[in-house]
Amino acid sequence: MKHFLDIHKTSQAELRSMIDTAKAVKTARQGQPKGMLDTDKPLDGHMVALIFEKPSTRTRVSFDVGVRQMGGQTMVLSGKDMQLGHGETIADTARVLSRYVDLIMIRTFEEETLLEMAEHASVPVINGLTDRTHPCQIMADVMTFEEQRGPIAGKKVVWSGDGNNVCASFLHAAGQFGFDFTFTGPSTLDPEQEWVNFARKQGVNVSIERDPVKAVTGADLVVTDTWVSMHDPESAKERRHNQLRPYQINAELMRHANDDALFMHCLPAHRNDEATSEVMDGPHSVIFEEAENRLHAQKAIMRWCLGK
């Protein structure tokens, strides 16, 4: 059973294979109508359940389009449709869904929900996001960097802001793809020490630097994410803004990165909070290439899960 639950739970060779497949899939479709099926239709006859306890734009559209381009069909289910863990256990839901569909993607809150789904499903399960990690996004980010600048191994990636679930998956990727990682942000929002330790044990340099200018100096890639979640109370939002203002990615900060450094943001963005529009729309930015590559990276992940 090939679940895609987290980057650090998948071998380096398999991750590299997925990135290579994503690049090939994208190249094969260049110049073709977006509604055209892939030549080999690897998901022909397959049904994929897309479960969203958390709302989404990019994850929902990219997975839905990806399945359709590969010849498959989707069943989109919201948290209200499912009421996971309320009334029926997650384990029983996993067992039932496995009788109907060939693949499950779930975007949820608690990591335990994902893990229980995978434990009891008899079909592959993909982590579309949890409060702890976001592996599909980072596979797209690695793909995007390598399209623009070549191999990411040995490069310096700087994360500025909140050490959240996207940051966690970047640390997993640092260990698996072999790039150095610097976190800059307030100590109250440091990434989980478990993930820092994982990357270091893989032999890459991971550092925490409170001064954003020092952190960004010599960076090949600068990344940030929204400062607040849609579920945060107003009091928490104000507190986070006060903490994170010094870590905004603006043109002055980007001047300390390498001349050919890239800027990424997984979106949605609060423009002129975590990053200025000048940076987001500027020459360093690849945020829309990054968004597009969610489609191609996730198609590669689904192919891998189903042995296609």
Side-chain angles (χ1 to χ4, degrees):
M1 185 66 61
K2 287 185 174 180
H3 299 306
F4 185 75
L5 303 182
D6 271 313
I7 288 172
H8 71 298
K9 294 180 178 179
T10 309
S11 75
Q12 294 176 6
E14 289 172 312
L15 293 168
R16 173 49 59 191
S17 175
M18 284 183 240
I19 295 292
D20 292 343
T21 298
K23 293 175 184 176
V25 165
K26 182 178 182 179
T27 299
R29 291 191 62 86
Q30 286 178 351
Q32 300 297 323
K34 294 178 176 62
M36 180 174 286
L37 295 179
D38 288 359
T39 304
D40 56 344
K41 296 189 290 185
L43 264 64
D44 188 24
H46 289 70
M47 177 65 71
V48 179
L50 306 177
I51 303 173
F52 293 92
E53 281 201 296
K54 276 191 171 185
S56 165
T57 299
R58 273 149 297 279
T59 300
R60 175 167 180 167
V61 175
S62 58
F63 266 107
D64 200 349
V65 170
V67 171
R68 292 167 188 254
Q69 286 182 351
M70 292 191 290
Q73 298 184 62
T74 60
M75 178 181 297
V76 181
L77 300 164
S78 72
K80 291 180 181 178
D81 296 326
M82 304 286 296
Q83 300 214 345
L84 279 173
H86 302 285
E88 182 175 62
T89 66
I90 295 166
D92 284 351
T93 298
R95 294 183 181 105
V96 169
L97 279 178
S98 297
R99 301 296 181 104
Y100 301 143
V101 304
D102 303 290
L103 179 65
I104 298 169
M105 188 288 303
I106 181 168
R107 181 180 172 95
T108 187
F109 294 92
E110 298 295 329
E111 183 183 48
E112 289 74 16
T113 301
L114 167 75
L115 297 178
E116 189 171 356
M117 180 72 71
E119 180 182 355
H120 296 281
S122 56
V123 299
V125 174
I126 295 173
N127 177 1
L129 174 142
T130 71
D131 285 345
R132 204 172 183 209
T133 60
H134 196 2
C136 290
Q137 177 64 57
I138 305 311
M139 292 294 284
D141 291 356
V142 170
M143 176 186 175
T144 304
F145 184 91
E146 295 198 339
E147 277 186 325
Q148 301 288 327
R149 297 290 184 265
I152 197 169
K155 301 298 185 179
K156 179 181 178 180
V157 175
V158 177
W159 179 279
S160 182
D162 178 7
N164 62 11
N165 53 353
V166 186
C167 179
S169 288
F170 246 117
L171 279 162
H172 296 159
Q176 298 292 64
F177 288 98
F179 56 85
D180 293 335
F181 188 88
T182 298
F183 171 83
T184 186
S187 60
T188 52
L189 297 175
D190 277 351
E192 289 187 51
Q193 192 62 44
E194 180 180 347
W195 306 145
V196 172
N197 292 343
F198 168 80
R200 285 175 174 164
K201 286 178 182 177
Q202 297 294 93
V204 298
N205 179 47
V206 177
S207 59
I208 294 178
E209 173 56 65
R210 302 299 172 203
D211 183 336
V213 171
K214 290 181 180 178
V216 168
T217 298
D220 299 294
L221 170 61
V222 179
V223 193
T224 192
D225 193 8
T226 180
W227 288 347
V228 296
S229 165
M230 65 185 75
H231 307 288
D232 288 338
E234 288 302 317
S235 58
K237 292 179 181 180
E238 183 177 356
R239 184 169 62 252
R240 278 175 172 257
H241 274 79
N242 291 336
Q243 288 181 296
L244 289 164
R245 252 182 219 107
Y247 299 97
Q248 181 192 71
I249 308 300
N250 50 45
E252 176 58 33
L253 186 61
M254 284 300 296
R255 275 194 274 274
H256 295 277
N258 289 339
D259 291 342
D260 63 346
L262 298 179
F263 167 76
M264 292 188 189
H265 187 309
C266 68
L267 304 178
H270 296 84
R271 283 175 175 260
N272 299 312
D273 281 351
E274 62 267 17
T276 62
S277 288
E278 183 179 9
V279 170
M280 294 182 67
D281 299 325
H284 297 285
S285 178
V286 288
I287 59 174
F288 297 113
E289 290 85 349
E290 180 187 5
E292 177 189 343
N293 284 340
R294 285 288 300 277
L295 170 65
H296 309 298
Q298 289 163 185
K299 285 170 73 173
I301 291 166
M302 289 188 280
R303 284 172 174 258
W304 174 81
C305 285
L306 292 170
K308 303 291 184 176

